[in-house]
Amino acid sequence: MMKRFAASIAAVTLLLNAPAAAQTEAESEEAAEVIALLGDMFEADPLTAEQEGRLPLALVTVDQIFPEGTYRKLMEETMQPMFDNMFGKMGEWPVATFAQIGGVPEDQVAGLGDTTLQEITEIVDPAFQERTRLTGQAAVEMITNLVDRIEPSYRAGLARAYAVRFNEAQLAELNAFFETPTGSYYAGQSMLIYADPQVMSAMNEMMPAMMEMMPTMMAEMEQRTAALPPQKTYDDLTAEERSRLSELLGVSEEDLEYNMGSSYGIMDGAAEDTYGE
């Protein structure tokens, strides 16, 4: 039990506080390639001539419901409070939940009682709260800078979507409504209202519910894939497969054997040696 329990807590702590690794130029290029591939996942059909004709009206609509700077306001009003709230309450989460996710049997999880993550981190990482606060702050700042860059493209895409989904008469009616005092106010609030504390407070229920559901979800996933053959270990591969996989991954066969071994029990063995059963 101690082996898996310790591994679960270590994994959670490392996941929350792992420093960003410095990227080499090659790694940055590889990341750019991955991003380019992901960008193709949502390729949209070109607009028809009729839809193109509605773009000027759609742009007027977007100027009302998503004016420049809206993304930054959303980040400031949503992201920072969300991080503060999430990291602030994280310490209250029961360690038993993380242990279950890590695979500790239910009968052993019961022995953990009401131990919380905060009680563990106070011992292993006294700076946990400040570390997570600074991590969240950095994340918010970086994401905000990112959305500032992509907002023009988002606004253009939003205009195209309105041109597709609304006809000329409907867009004209929307824009006429947005010219009224109530319509103008509604348009300015229509996106920001999703960041209202009254809405976000309802999200407080999401994380505890998700954590509570996680063990069941993991068990359900295992059940649905139980009939599938297991992933191959290094020993299961033929000499040709080992050579081909080494070539594809750009590593030696020795490194391949080690890495695949790490994925299939080396870490458990290390944890057992360290913590015992």
Side-chain angles (χ1 to χ4, degrees), residues 119-138:
E119 292 174 301
I120 301 297
T121 57
E122 283 177 351
I123 298 172
V124 300
D125 186 7
F128 178 77
Q129 290 293 333
E130 181 65 5
R131 194 188 316 280
T132 52
R133 185 187 71 80
L134 293 173
T135 299
Q137 185 181 73

Side-chain angles (χ1 to χ4, degrees), residues 4 14 35 51 67 74 92 136 179 188 190 197 201 218 237 259 272:
R4 290 191 172 185
L14 288 172
I35 292 171
Q51 292 164 349
L74 282 170
E92 301 172 9
E179 289 177 2
S190 60
S201 64
M218 298 296 289
L237 301 177
N259 292 334
E272 183 174 344

Side-chain angles (χ1 to χ4, degrees), residues 20 75 135-149:
M75 291 300 103
T135 299
Q137 185 181 73
V140 170
E141 290 176 1
M142 292 178 68
I143 294 172
T144 300
N145 290 336
L146 172 64
V147 297
D148 277 347
R149 289 170 52 192

Side-chain angles (χ1 to χ4, degrees), residues 4 24 42 44 61 82 114 123 126 128 162 170 219 221 238 259 276:
R4 290 191 172 185
T24 65
F42 301 101
T61 304
M82 181 183 71
D114 298 326
I123 298 172
F128 178 77
Y162 269 86
Q170 291 168 333
M221 290 178 178
T238 65
N259 292 334

Side-chain angles (χ1 to χ4, degrees), residues 12-56:
V12 170
T13 305
L14 288 172
L15 178 63
L16 294 174
N17 291 317
Q23 283 191 318
T24 65
E25 184 176 346
E27 289 170 336
S28 297
E29 291 177 357
E30 290 174 0
E33 291 177 3
V34 172
I35 292 171
L37 288 173
L38 291 175
D40 292 336
M41 292 175 61
F42 301 101
E43 189 173 353
D45 294 329
L47 299 186
T48 65
E50 183 180 0
Q51 292 164 349
E52 288 279 0
R54 295 199 291 263
L55 265 181

